[in-house]
């Protein structure tokens, strides 16, 4: 089974930076989509940044210009570089991988906590 393991979260002051990593147990090329989501307490899980296997990227409006999603295909790892962090970025960040064939299946990591102080 596919496993995703996030790391890199922590406590940072507003304006600071963090780099999250998502290590996958399968090739990134085996997924149609990969993405980072985040969920704050009492809130729904929202897309932060993602990419297709064709390289197209999408970012939430709230993080455009501050966050960058990237990957190291050889290491089966996806990254999320987060700059100019704001307190409202505080959440648990989850790695997501989706396969569309033979059926739509989503895989999730266990999450990594990001806390941004004022």
């Amino acid at each position: 089974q596919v496993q995703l393991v996030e790391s890199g979260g922590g406590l940072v002051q507003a304006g600071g930076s963090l780099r999250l990593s998502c290590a996958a147990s399968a090739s990134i090329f085996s997924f149609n989509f990969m993405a980072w989501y985040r969920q704050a307490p009492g809130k729904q899980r929202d897309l932060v940044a993602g990419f297709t296997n064709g390289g197209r990227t999408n970012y939430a409006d709230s993080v455009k210009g501050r966050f960058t999603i990237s990957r190291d295909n050889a290491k089966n790892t996806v990254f999320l570089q987060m700059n100019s962090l704001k307190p409202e970025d505080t959440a648990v960040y989850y790695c997501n991988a989706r396969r569309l064939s033979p059926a739509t299946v989503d895989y999730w990591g266990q999450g990594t906590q990001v806390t941004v102080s004022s």
Side-chain angles (χ1 to χ4, degrees), residues 1-5 22-28 30-31 34 75-77 97 99 107:
Q1 293 184 346
V2 172
Q3 292 185 338
L4 305 173
V5 180
C22 171
S25 63
S27 172
I28 291 175
S30 72
F31 305 108
M34 293 197 75
K75 296 184 180 296
N76 296 341
T77 302
R99 288 175 175 162
Y107 303 94

Short mmCIF file of all heavy atoms in Angstrom, two decimals, residues 1-5 22-28 30-31 34 75-77 97 99 107:
data_model
loop_
_atom_site.label_atom_id
_atom_site.label_comp_id
_atom_site.label_asym_id
_atom_site.label_seq_id
_atom_site.Cartn_x
_atom_site.Cartn_y
_atom_site.Cartn_z
N GLN A 1 0.84 -1.19 0.00
CA GLN A 1 0.00 0.00 0.00
C GLN A 1 0.87 1.24 0.00
O GLN A 1 1.99 1.22 0.47
CB GLN A 1 -0.92 0.00 1.22
CG GLN A 1 -1.97 -1.08 1.21
CD GLN A 1 -2.90 -0.96 2.39
OE1 GLN A 1 -2.62 -0.24 3.35
NE2 GLN A 1 -4.01 -1.69 2.32
N VAL A 2 0.32 2.33 -0.52
CA VAL A 2 1.04 3.59 -0.59
C VAL A 2 1.08 4.23 0.79
O VAL A 2 0.07 4.30 1.50
CB VAL A 2 0.37 4.55 -1.59
CG1 VAL A 2 1.00 5.94 -1.51
CG2 VAL A 2 0.49 3.99 -2.99
N GLN A 3 2.26 4.71 1.14
CA GLN A 3 2.42 5.46 2.38
C GLN A 3 3.04 6.81 2.08
O GLN A 3 3.94 6.93 1.25
CB GLN A 3 3.29 4.69 3.37
CG GLN A 3 2.65 3.42 3.90
CD GLN A 3 3.49 2.75 4.96
OE1 GLN A 3 4.70 2.96 5.04
NE2 GLN A 3 2.85 1.94 5.78
N LEU A 4 2.54 7.83 2.76
CA LEU A 4 3.06 9.18 2.64
C LEU A 4 3.45 9.65 4.03
O LEU A 4 2.66 9.54 4.97
CB LEU A 4 2.00 10.13 2.06
CG LEU A 4 1.37 9.74 0.73
CD1 LEU A 4 0.23 10.70 0.39
CD2 LEU A 4 2.41 9.74 -0.38
N VAL A 5 4.64 10.19 4.16
CA VAL A 5 5.14 10.63 5.45
C VAL A 5 5.59 12.07 5.35
O VAL A 5 6.52 12.39 4.61
CB VAL A 5 6.30 9.75 5.94
CG1 VAL A 5 6.80 10.24 7.29
CG2 VAL A 5 5.87 8.30 6.04
N CYS A 22 7.32 15.55 1.90
CA CYS A 22 6.41 14.41 1.85
C CYS A 22 7.13 13.29 1.12
O CYS A 22 7.36 13.38 -0.09
CB CYS A 22 5.12 14.78 1.13
SG CYS A 22 4.04 13.37 0.77
N ALA A 23 7.49 12.26 1.86
CA ALA A 23 8.16 11.11 1.28
C ALA A 23 7.14 10.04 0.94
O ALA A 23 6.41 9.58 1.82
CB ALA A 23 9.20 10.57 2.24
N ALA A 24 7.09 9.65 -0.32
CA ALA A 24 6.13 8.66 -0.79
C ALA A 24 6.81 7.30 -0.96
O ALA A 24 8.00 7.23 -1.31
CB ALA A 24 5.50 9.09 -2.11
N SER A 25 6.04 6.25 -0.74
CA SER A 25 6.56 4.90 -0.91
C SER A 25 6.45 4.41 -2.35
O SER A 25 6.82 3.26 -2.63
CB SER A 25 5.82 3.93 0.02
OG SER A 25 4.45 3.86 -0.30
N ALA A 26 5.95 5.24 -3.23
CA ALA A 26 5.81 4.91 -4.64
C ALA A 26 6.30 6.08 -5.48
O ALA A 26 6.42 7.21 -4.99
CB ALA A 26 4.36 4.58 -4.98
N SER A 27 6.55 5.80 -6.74
CA SER A 27 7.00 6.85 -7.65
C SER A 27 5.95 7.95 -7.77
O SER A 27 4.76 7.68 -7.86
CB SER A 27 7.29 6.26 -9.03
OG SER A 27 7.54 7.28 -9.97
N ILE A 28 6.42 9.18 -7.80
CA ILE A 28 5.52 10.31 -8.00
C ILE A 28 4.80 10.19 -9.34
O ILE A 28 3.66 10.62 -9.48
CB ILE A 28 6.31 11.63 -7.89
CG1 ILE A 28 6.75 11.84 -6.45
CG2 ILE A 28 5.49 12.81 -8.41
CD1 ILE A 28 7.64 13.04 -6.24
N SER A 30 3.52 7.67 -10.54
CA SER A 30 2.39 6.75 -10.46
C SER A 30 1.11 7.43 -9.99
O SER A 30 0.06 6.79 -9.93
CB SER A 30 2.73 5.58 -9.52
OG SER A 30 2.75 5.99 -8.17
N PHE A 31 1.19 8.71 -9.64
CA PHE A 31 0.04 9.47 -9.20
C PHE A 31 -0.36 10.50 -10.25
O PHE A 31 0.49 11.11 -10.89
CB PHE A 31 0.33 10.20 -7.88
CG PHE A 31 0.79 9.29 -6.79
CD1 PHE A 31 2.11 9.31 -6.37
CD2 PHE A 31 -0.08 8.41 -6.18
CE1 PHE A 31 2.56 8.48 -5.37
CE2 PHE A 31 0.35 7.56 -5.18
CZ PHE A 31 1.67 7.60 -4.77
N MET A 34 -0.70 15.26 -6.99
CA MET A 34 -0.17 15.31 -5.64
C MET A 34 -0.36 16.73 -5.13
O MET A 34 -0.32 17.69 -5.90
CB MET A 34 1.30 14.90 -5.57
CG MET A 34 1.53 13.44 -5.89
SD MET A 34 3.17 12.85 -5.36
CE MET A 34 2.92 12.73 -3.58
N LYS A 75 13.78 10.82 -5.57
CA LYS A 75 13.62 10.49 -4.16
C LYS A 75 12.17 10.29 -3.76
O LYS A 75 11.89 10.09 -2.57
CB LYS A 75 14.26 11.57 -3.30
CG LYS A 75 15.76 11.70 -3.48
CD LYS A 75 16.34 12.71 -2.52
CE LYS A 75 17.85 12.84 -2.71
NZ LYS A 75 18.55 11.57 -2.39
N ASN A 76 11.26 10.34 -4.72
CA ASN A 76 9.83 10.18 -4.45
C ASN A 76 9.36 11.14 -3.36
O ASN A 76 8.60 10.77 -2.46
CB ASN A 76 9.51 8.73 -4.04
CG ASN A 76 9.77 7.72 -5.12
OD1 ASN A 76 9.87 8.07 -6.30
ND2 ASN A 76 9.89 6.46 -4.75
N THR A 77 9.81 12.37 -3.45
CA THR A 77 9.54 13.35 -2.40
C THR A 77 8.96 14.63 -2.98
O THR A 77 9.43 15.13 -4.00
CB THR A 77 10.81 13.66 -1.61
OG1 THR A 77 11.33 12.45 -1.04
CG2 THR A 77 10.52 14.64 -0.49
N ALA A 97 -1.94 12.26 -2.33
CA ALA A 97 -1.62 11.70 -3.64
C ALA A 97 -2.87 11.03 -4.19
O ALA A 97 -3.55 10.31 -3.47
CB ALA A 97 -0.47 10.71 -3.55
N ARG A 99 -4.65 8.77 -7.41
CA ARG A 99 -4.64 7.98 -8.62
C ARG A 99 -6.05 7.91 -9.18
O ARG A 99 -7.01 7.76 -8.41
CB ARG A 99 -4.12 6.56 -8.36
CG ARG A 99 -2.63 6.49 -8.10
CD ARG A 99 -2.20 5.10 -7.72
NE ARG A 99 -0.76 5.01 -7.57
CZ ARG A 99 -0.14 4.04 -6.93
NH1 ARG A 99 -0.83 3.06 -6.36
NH2 ARG A 99 1.19 4.04 -6.86
N TYR A 107 -4.64 9.04 -1.22
CA TYR A 107 -3.77 8.62 -0.15
C TYR A 107 -3.36 9.84 0.65
O TYR A 107 -3.13 10.91 0.09
CB TYR A 107 -2.53 7.91 -0.69
CG TYR A 107 -2.84 6.72 -1.56
CD1 TYR A 107 -2.92 6.85 -2.93
CD2 TYR A 107 -3.07 5.47 -1.00
CE1 TYR A 107 -3.22 5.76 -3.74
CE2 TYR A 107 -3.36 4.37 -1.79
CZ TYR A 107 -3.44 4.53 -3.17
OH TYR A 107 -3.73 3.44 -3.96
#
